[in-house]
Amino acid sequence: MKESLNALKELLISDLTPRTEIDRRIAELKQKMASHHVSFSIILQNVDLLYFTGTAQKGVLIVPLNSDPLFFVEKSLDRAALESPLEIIPVKGDRDIKNILVEKHILKGKGGMEFDVIPVIVYERWKSLLGADDMVDISRLIKEIRLVKSEFEIEQIKRSGKIISKVFEKAKEAIREDMREVDIAAIIESEGRIQGHQGFLRMRGLNQEMMNAYITHGYSATIHSAGDVPISGVGVTHAIPQGPSVNRVKRGIPLVIDYGGGYNGYITDETRTFVVGKLQDMFKKAFDVTREIVEDATEYGCEGKNGTDLYNRAFELVKRAKLEDFFMGYGEGKVSFIGHGLGLEINELPVITPRHSITLREGMVFAYEPKFIFPGKGAVGIEVDYIVRKDSLERVTDTSIDVVCV
Amino acid sequence: MKESLNALKELLISDLTPRTEIDRRIAELKQKMASHHVSFSIILQNVDLLYFTGTAQKGVLIVPLNSDPLFFVEKSLDRAALESPLEIIPVKGDRDIKNILVEKHILKGKGGMEFDVIPVIVYERWKSLLGADDMVDISRLIKEIRLVKSEFEIEQIKRSGKIISKVFEKAKEAIREDMREVDIAAIIESEGRIQGHQGFLRMRGLNQEMMNAYITHGYSATIHSAGDVPISGVGVTHAIPQGPSVNRVKRGIPLVIDYGGGYNGYITDETRTFVVGKLQDMFKKAFDVTREIVEDATEYGCEGKNGTDLYNRAFELVKRAKLEDFFMGYGEGKVSFIGHGLGLEINELPVITPRHSITLREGMVFAYEPKFIFPGKGAVGIEVDYIVRKDSLERVTDTSIDVVCV
């Protein structure tokens, strides 16, 4: 097995999480736990486990407020040991964990769990196993820690962005009149894989599902989504009502490609507008407003600015162009945000919306996506990813935001 | 919007769920509810919603034991109305639902929810919203209903299987010495998309994640998985420790392709063993045993037979070949089943295992996957999908189970 594991390490194209990262993350969790009077945290969801342990193997992380974290692993022990800087405690099941926790007197006071993702059945089992009555939700604390990215994380995000750039280049080569949206998806998803895409993207919460590539064209971009996104596409079946469809590309009509990069767990999410020939005038005019909005945000944004101001500035440009009715959707399909946080999941904090004020801090990373959707006709838009810096918003990719004419 | 929706319907490549299906499914749920003394069920997970309403739009289905189901939809109203044979009740949020339920006197007695997938936060909100104290888990009831497939469902499953057949043909054309596993994945996932694959596959429960294509070769097939699967691959990052890696194809060493078809929500899941040149002797010998196991099951199985017997017959063949140590994995990586149910999710009932007895009934559909994994060296195996019939096990695809030499 040892030999195999060395070979395995050789196969991973991306870096393992450094010990300094893990130590800092756990220290931050303890700080938050202290201020919320949580005595011990039970981390079960694989993305949070990955964040706090460095591995996504099957295990449970217990973080007691006043002692060292205990990382129980069921399988694979070898792979977890290879990937996590934490000491591994091998267990066969939950009972072993309980016995150790009782022995170490850890089960006192208030316990914390990830209420936003842990199913009732798992929660009930843990509560009864531990004999713990006083459990509280720590998902908000975890999200707040994950909100600000370290330079290690930003490096992964930039690598993730490079996959997007390659994919958009490939799209430019591939798109032809009369192709189906799914055919374009087939080509660019394939390119993503070749460029090192991790395989799939993660979205947190019940019923949150997503694909790597959303190719929408003309009216397929205008169909309302079940999800809280401005454009989701029709899909090929009512069973998965999102993503590319068999709709065929026509000249002059915008083709919107929203693609999610994924590298070492980190997600990037950008959109470009493509067209065969030249964009029809109404689309061109709206597209120019989305470009103005992105240029204004790039100019204006930096640490200390407020997310709501960013939204409001965009909305001023929308009003000036008299396009309010189509901004970020229309009717029941309209969404209330223009940006969303990125990290190990695609729906992280911050949300850039008029509904909640948030002051930008260095290291926050978010997708910014002004889009217009014209009922039945088509959509245009841009989505770029920003890293918040002291004096600027740094773009994750350097891919042009212009309409791509093919 | 009307016009757009007609165009939308034209775009869906697969059939909507017929009213007769929905009526029967809800009637079965009520029967189960009656025998478990559940007065009303709250269905929230999108796959169960799809099963009982015919749409995966954002909504909540309330099934009272003694009156008609109430299907509340938040968005998209138009798309839900197009797809579901049930009457749509438009709502803006949970409060609207509560008011209607109170008005109709539905909130009496025991309520049921899907405890295996509903996060604590959602459960707590619904409990407090409805003022309901007496809630029980109905996930087992739902799984038992979904266990037996109708002819409509079997038709979708067969269409899903056709995608697999095309994908295996493509793999045969594509595989060359020295290619990376990810390059093969790029090609065959792309082919799946072109053939109408729905985009992704669903797996039920916390931390259950999967890809469409698992390409493993030599030792990458032998690395233990975090999941309850015999072979998962290494992946390209510790953040998503499964799937194809950058491992390159060598002559004589088995390349195992485990691919999941997806059509109209329905998942199929088959595996074939490929090789450049000829399989080395030890692999060939083990492969022949997996073929014998599949042939024996195909010969033996039908309604009325027991899943455990199926497993035991396979295990007899394994023992005869003295390959027990490598059957369905080795060490901590060994799994305790040889087959799993298929449907809208990939981990449905029945499970074919010595641990639980299950009598096969007509309409059950399961993947049957004898595999051998040799530590550090490689794996071989076959996975076929079966539909249980009165007098036989019907194969879902007609693709040969032989080793594919390229």
Side-chain angles (χ1 to χ4, degrees):
Chain A
M1 196 67 193
K2 198 88 193 169
E3 233 173 85
S4 252
L5 278 173
N6 284 335
L8 185 159
K9 204 171 172 184
E10 294 295 306
L11 284 182
L12 301 180
I13 65 172
S14 43
D15 292 335
L16 298 178
T17 317
R19 170 177 290 276
T20 48
E21 284 282 311
I22 299 297
D23 290 346
R24 181 188 49 73
R25 294 170 186 179
I26 289 178
E28 282 184 31
L29 178 59
K30 285 189 177 187
Q31 270 176 27
K32 296 254 180 210
M33 285 165 59
S35 61
H36 289 79
H37 311 290
V38 175
S39 302
F40 61 96
S41 287
I42 306 174
I43 312 283
L44 292 168
Q45 188 231 23
N46 60 353
V47 180
D48 291 335
L49 269 176
L50 171 65
Y51 185 78
F52 286 111
T53 71
T55 184
Q57 295 302 309
K58 188 177 181 191
V60 182
L61 177 70
I62 309 284
V63 181
L65 183 58
N66 297 314
S67 52
D68 287 341
L70 298 163
F71 185 27
F72 300 98
V73 177
E74 208 170 311
K75 67 188 273 232
S76 147
L77 291 172
D78 290 316
R79 194 159 179 181
L82 176 80
E83 294 170 349
S84 177
L86 298 177
E87 190 191 333
I88 304 296
I89 307 169
V91 288
K92 295 263 182 245
D94 300 347
R95 275 200 185 276
D96 295 354
I97 299 176
K98 186 232 172 118
N99 295 338
I100 294 171
L101 295 180
V102 167
E103 206 174 281
K104 289 187 182 276
H105 305 287
I106 281 163
L107 302 171
K108 284 177 183 153
K110 214 188 276 180
M113 280 178 86
E114 307 138 297
F115 281 17
D116 65 335
V117 286
I118 300 305
V120 179
I121 207 171
V122 175
Y123 172 66
E124 299 286 2
R125 197 177 70 232
W126 276 88
K127 251 177 50 171
S128 112
L129 182 76
L130 304 184
D133 266 348
D134 197 8
M135 299 295 295
V136 294
D137 186 11
I138 52 165
S139 59
R140 181 80 200 180
L141 314 191
I142 293 173
K143 284 176 192 168
E144 282 170 4
I145 296 166
R146 285 174 46 187
L147 161 62
V148 174
K149 272 69 184 174
S150 68
E151 284 306 315
F152 170 79
E153 290 184 286
I154 287 171
E155 203 182 301
Q156 313 311 308
I157 287 168
K158 287 185 173 176
R159 294 288 295 269
S160 176
K162 282 199 201 318
I163 297 175
I164 293 186
S165 299
K166 292 282 188 186
V167 159
F168 284 148
E169 276 172 39
K170 188 73 180 183
K172 184 173 178 177
E173 282 171 32
I175 296 166
R176 296 281 176 276
E177 200 171 345
D178 211 39
M179 275 177 99
R180 303 177 305 171
E181 292 165 6
V182 288
D183 298 327
I184 300 168
I187 292 169
I188 70 169
E189 285 175 344
S190 175
E191 179 67 13
R193 254 306 190 192
I194 290 166
Q195 297 296 340
H197 195 290
Q198 64 193 24
F200 56 75
L201 308 175
R202 290 169 168 137
M203 193 164 182
R204 194 178 183 99
L206 178 68
N207 298 342
Q208 301 301 314
E209 300 179 321
M210 64 174 307
M211 297 180 184
N212 296 351
Y214 291 80
I215 323 283
T216 55
H217 176 69
Y219 67 76
S220 77
T222 71
I223 298 300
H224 297 147
S225 166
D228 196 20
V229 293
I231 305 174
S232 75
V234 169
V236 293
T237 164
H238 67 287
I240 297 191
Q242 56 167 276
S245 73
V246 296
N247 185 27
R248 287 181 188 275
V249 174
K250 288 177 200 68
R251 191 165 284 270
I253 305 291
L255 178 79
V256 179
I257 302 191
D258 186 344
Y259 181 79
Y263 181 85
N264 218 4
Y266 287 88
I267 298 171
T268 44
D269 178 19
E270 299 212 349
T271 302
R272 295 295 184 275
T273 300
F274 294 74
V275 66
V276 176
K278 256 183 67 182
L279 270 191
Q280 290 175 4
D281 271 0
M282 66 163 289
F283 291 123
K284 180 65 171 69
K285 189 186 147 216
F287 178 83
D288 287 344
V289 179
T290 65
R291 189 168 50 192
E292 255 189 290
I293 291 171
V294 170
E295 284 164 353
D296 179 68
T298 310
E299 177 77 17
Y300 172 78
C302 63
E303 175 163 84
K305 296 286 167 65
N306 197 292
T308 297
D309 289 342
L310 218 50
Y311 184 96
N312 291 340
R313 289 174 71 92
F315 201 67
E316 280 307 311
L317 295 170
V318 172
K319 279 198 288 194
R320 198 192 298 164
K322 298 196 170 54
L323 288 171
E324 301 95 305
D325 288 351
F326 313 108
F327 183 56
M328 302 311 290
Y330 63 94
E332 62 165 359
K334 213 182 239 311
V335 300
S336 58
F337 62 88
I338 192 176
H340 58 87
L342 294 170
L344 295 171
E345 291 164 322
I346 202 167
N347 53 347
E348 298 203 359
L349 299 175
V351 185
I352 309 299
T353 167
R355 295 195 179 180
H356 314 284
S357 162
I358 183 152
T359 303
L360 299 182
R361 276 154 60 202
E362 188 168 18
M364 286 183 180
V365 176
F366 64 91
Y368 191 69
E369 51 173 331
K371 289 172 183 172
F372 290 105
I373 295 103
F374 300 98
K377 296 201 172 72
V380 292
I382 301 169
E383 182 174 24
V384 293
D385 299 337
Y386 286 128
I387 302 157
V388 179
R389 299 296 194 181
K390 279 256 170 301
D391 304 308
S392 65
L393 291 184
E394 183 189 348
R395 287 266 315 275
V396 169
T397 76
D398 53 10
T399 297
S400 162
I401 60 173
D402 286 343
V403 172
V404 183
C405 302
V406 296
Chain B
M1 195 65 194
K2 198 91 192 165
E3 229 172 273
S4 252
L5 278 174
N6 285 335
L8 185 160
K9 205 172 172 184
E10 293 295 307
L11 283 183
L12 301 180
I13 63 172
S14 42
D15 293 335
L16 298 179
T17 317
R19 171 177 289 277
T20 48
E21 285 281 312
I22 299 296
D23 290 346
R24 181 188 49 74
R25 294 170 186 179
I26 288 177
E28 282 184 32
L29 177 60
K30 285 187 177 188
Q31 269 176 26
K32 297 255 180 208
M33 284 166 58
S35 61
H36 288 80
H37 312 289
V38 175
S39 303
F40 61 95
S41 288
I42 306 173
I43 312 280
L44 293 168
Q45 188 232 22
N46 60 353
V47 180
D48 292 335
L49 270 175
L50 170 65
Y51 186 78
F52 287 110
T53 71
T55 184
Q57 294 302 309
K58 189 178 180 188
V60 182
L61 177 70
I62 308 283
V63 181
L65 182 59
N66 297 315
S67 53
D68 286 341
L70 300 163
F71 185 27
F72 301 99
V73 177
E74 209 170 312
K75 67 190 273 230
S76 147
L77 291 173
D78 291 316
R79 193 160 179 180
L82 175 80
E83 295 170 348
S84 178
L86 298 177
E87 191 192 332
I88 304 296
I89 308 169
V91 288
K92 294 262 183 246
D94 302 345
R95 278 203 179 275
D96 296 355
I97 299 177
K98 186 230 171 118
N99 295 338
I100 295 171
L101 295 181
V102 167
E103 207 174 279
K104 290 189 183 274
H105 305 288
I106 282 163
L107 301 173
K108 283 176 186 155
K110 215 187 277 180
M113 281 178 85
E114 308 138 296
F115 281 17
D116 65 334
V117 286
I118 300 305
V120 178
I121 207 170
V122 175
Y123 172 66
E124 299 285 3
R125 196 177 70 232
W126 275 89
K127 252 178 50 170
S128 111
L129 182 76
L130 304 184
D133 264 347
D134 198 8
M135 299 295 295
V136 294
D137 186 12
I138 53 165
S139 59
R140 182 77 200 183
L141 314 190
I142 293 173
K143 285 177 192 169
E144 282 170 3
I145 297 167
R146 286 174 45 187
L147 161 62
V148 174
K149 272 70 186 176
S150 68
E151 284 305 315
F152 170 78
E153 291 184 285
I154 288 171
E155 203 182 302
Q156 313 311 309
I157 286 168
K158 286 184 172 177
R159 294 288 296 269
S160 176
K162 282 200 201 317
I163 298 175
I164 292 186
S165 299
K166 292 282 188 187
V167 159
F168 284 148
E169 277 172 39
K170 187 74 179 183
K172 186 175 177 176
E173 282 171 32
I175 295 166
R176 295 282 176 278
E177 200 173 343
D178 210 40
M179 275 178 98
R180 302 177 306 171
E181 291 166 7
V182 289
D183 297 327
I184 300 168
I187 292 169
I188 70 169
E189 285 175 345
S190 175
E191 179 67 14
R193 254 303 190 195
I194 290 166
Q195 297 296 339
H197 195 290
Q198 64 194 22
F200 55 75
L201 307 176
R202 290 168 167 139
M203 193 165 183
R204 193 177 184 100
L206 176 68
N207 297 344
Q208 301 302 315
E209 301 179 321
M210 64 175 309
M211 298 180 184
N212 296 351
Y214 291 81
I215 324 282
T216 55
H217 176 68
Y219 66 76
S220 78
T222 71
I223 299 299
H224 297 147
S225 164
D228 197 20
V229 293
I231 304 174
S232 75
V234 170
V236 293
T237 162
H238 67 286
I240 297 190
Q242 55 167 274
S245 72
V246 295
N247 185 27
R248 288 182 186 275
V249 174
K250 288 177 201 66
R251 190 164 283 270
I253 305 291
L255 178 79
V256 179
I257 302 191
D258 186 344
Y259 181 80
Y263 181 85
N264 218 3
Y266 288 88
I267 298 171
T268 44
D269 179 18
E270 299 211 349
T271 302
R272 294 295 183 274
T273 299
F274 294 74
V275 65
V276 176
K278 256 183 66 181
L279 269 192
Q280 291 175 2
D281 271 359
M282 65 164 289
F283 292 123
K284 180 66 171 67
K285 191 187 145 212
F287 178 83
D288 286 343
V289 179
T290 65
R291 188 168 51 191
E292 257 188 287
I293 292 171
V294 170
E295 284 163 353
D296 178 69
T298 310
E299 177 77 16
Y300 173 78
C302 64
E303 176 163 84
K305 296 286 168 65
N306 196 290
T308 296
D309 289 342
L310 219 50
Y311 184 95
N312 290 340
R313 290 174 71 91
F315 201 66
E316 280 306 312
L317 294 170
V318 171
K319 278 198 289 194
R320 198 193 296 165
K322 300 198 171 50
L323 288 170
E324 303 96 304
D325 288 352
F326 314 109
F327 183 56
M328 303 311 290
Y330 64 93
E332 63 166 358
K334 213 183 241 309
V335 300
S336 59
F337 63 88
I338 192 176
H340 58 88
L342 294 171
L344 295 172
E345 291 163 322
I346 201 166
N347 52 348
E348 298 204 357
L349 298 175
V351 184
I352 310 298
T353 166
R355 295 195 179 182
H356 314 283
S357 162
I358 182 150
T359 303
L360 299 182
R361 277 154 60 200
E362 189 168 18
M364 286 182 181
V365 176
F366 64 92
Y368 191 69
E369 51 173 331
K371 289 173 182 170
F372 290 106
I373 295 103
F374 300 98
K377 295 200 172 71
V380 292
I382 301 169
E383 182 172 25
V384 293
D385 299 337
Y386 286 126
I387 303 157
V388 180
R389 299 297 192 182
K390 278 255 171 301
D391 303 307
S392 65
L393 291 183
E394 182 189 350
R395 286 266 316 274
V396 169
T397 76
D398 53 10
T399 297
S400 160
I401 60 172
D402 286 341
V403 172
V404 183
C405 301
V406 297

